[in-house]
Amino acid sequence: MVTSIAGTAKVITIFILSLKEDLPQGLEMVKEYSRWILLSWTLTYRLVCKPLRKLYPDLTSLQNVALIQPHERLVLEDYERRGQGEQLSLIVLDWNLTLLKWWNKQGHLNVPADCNRNLDAILAFKKSCGNTIKFADKNIPFAL
């Protein structure tokens, strides 16, 4: 379990290093991408970490700390109503995948191979989040 814990640093760093340096909207792109990675991490770990669940009991609490936008909250609440609440973090990562592909088509990445490198990083992160969700019903140490 410890080796499969998702970390945000690698996936965000790979993205930052992939962006062209002269993009006027580069900072906004990094903020959006990173926010969604952090949101998916938070949604994953609030399932298994009681203190995190107390800190962020619902999507409105995540909106209050600017991890989620109001329109995004509405979309995710709709998924929760349909009984797909455990998959929210994976849905957010799908948003990242879509955004990454669109930015690649717009020519915002240094080289075409950067898109594949980023896709691999997101999919590895998504798998780690998925593995953590699978363990949500197990007794995970409080230190997590």
Side-chain angles (χ1 to χ4, degrees):
M1 176 61 199
V2 172
T3 59
S4 69
I5 291 177
T8 59
K10 182 178 180 180
V11 68
I12 293 172
T13 302
I14 289 172
F15 176 72
I16 291 170
L17 294 174
S18 300
L19 280 181
K20 290 182 177 176
E21 292 182 20
D22 59 348
L23 293 173
Q25 71 275 29
L27 181 59
E28 291 304 314
M29 292 169 68
V30 170
K31 285 181 180 180
E32 183 80 359
Y33 186 89
S34 299
R35 183 176 61 81
W36 281 351
I37 293 293
L38 294 172
L39 175 61
S40 64
W41 186 93
T42 304
L43 290 170
T44 297
Y45 285 95
R46 77 178 190 157
L47 293 173
V48 296
C49 179
K50 195 172 187 177
L52 194 60
R53 190 170 39 251
K54 277 184 170 180
L55 192 59
Y56 304 113
D58 55 21
L59 295 174
T60 303
S61 62
L62 294 170
Q63 182 181 334
N64 293 339
V65 294
L67 271 178
I68 190 170
Q69 299 294 318
H71 65 281
E72 297 166 348
R73 179 183 54 81
L74 294 174
V75 170
L76 293 179
E77 283 176 347
D78 186 47
Y79 278 99
E80 279 187 325
R81 275 191 292 280
R82 290 188 268 157
Q84 298 171 311
E86 289 184 354
Q87 300 173 2
L88 294 181
S89 63
L90 305 181
I91 292 164
V92 173
L93 287 172
D94 287 340
W95 297 350
N96 270 77
L97 289 168
T98 303
L99 195 59
L100 178 67
K101 290 175 185 178
W102 187 78
W103 284 336
N104 184 47
K105 287 181 183 178
Q106 298 298 314
H108 295 318
L109 303 181
N110 287 319
V111 293
D114 283 339
C115 185
N116 290 336
R117 193 173 303 117
N118 278 283
L119 289 174
D120 290 343
I122 291 174
L123 292 175
F125 181 75
K126 187 175 183 177
K127 183 175 181 172
S128 295
C129 289
N131 287 339
T132 302
I133 291 169
K134 287 179 192 174
F135 289 117
D137 60 343
K138 305 287 184 210
N139 183 21
I140 297 179
F142 185 73
L144 181 61

